[in-house]
Amino acid sequence: QVQLVESGGGLVQAGGSLRLSCAASGRTFGSCTVGWFRQAPGKEREFVATINRFGNIRYADSVKGRFTISRDNAKNTVYLQMNSLKPEDTAVYYCAADLGMVVTSRSPYWGQGTQVTVSS
């Protein structure tokens, strides 16, 4: 079992930065692929970024060059550094984990979400 808790969301002006954290419990976290997803009001949940246990990273095109995902297995934590934020980044951000090599909307472990609001 893996339990995930996100933090770091908030209100920021366009062009600003936030760093989200996803703290995990469970001894298998280091073996997990971890991803960030987001869901804006009235829209479907969408993929943002993922990092697997080998450190391989993938980003959605909409955040490439602005967001950076990283992990600290010693702290059982995955981070999402978000720079140059835009109003369209406003959403609830969720952390997800999977013991497989990919994270999808069907992955078994999810956090409760953290709200990110970017004002124009």
Side-chain angles (χ1 to χ4, degrees):
Q1 275 286 40
V2 178
Q3 294 183 324
L4 306 172
V5 178
E6 302 98 333
S7 62
L11 173 64
V12 64
Q13 288 187 334
S17 298
L18 283 174
R19 188 176 81 157
L20 305 183
S21 298
C22 173
S25 63
R27 293 180 294 175
T28 59
F29 180 73
S31 300
C32 287
T33 297
V34 183
W36 287 95
F37 292 75
R38 65 187 182 186
Q39 188 166 18
K43 295 187 177 181
E44 292 187 353
R45 190 171 297 185
E46 65 175 4
F47 164 77
V48 176
T50 185
I51 183 168
N52 68 17
R53 64 187 183 212
F54 302 112
N56 297 317
I57 290 171
R58 188 166 61 92
Y59 296 101
D61 288 344
S62 58
V63 306
K64 278 181 182 177
R66 300 187 299 121
F67 291 11
T68 302
I69 189 171
S70 62
R71 69 189 299 164
D72 185 338
N73 288 336
K75 296 182 178 180
N76 271 13
T77 303
V78 169
Y79 304 98
L80 185 68
Q81 177 67 43
M82 305 186 296
N83 299 328
S84 302
L85 282 161
K86 305 174 181 180
E88 51 263 44
D89 294 317
T90 295
V92 177
Y93 283 70
Y94 297 91
C95 176
D98 199 302
L99 290 173
M101 292 301 293
V102 295
V103 173
T104 73
S105 59
R106 296 183 178 183
S107 292
Y109 306 116
W110 289 83
Q112 82 290 349
T114 185
Q115 176 70 48
V116 171
T117 303
V118 184
S119 63
S120 58

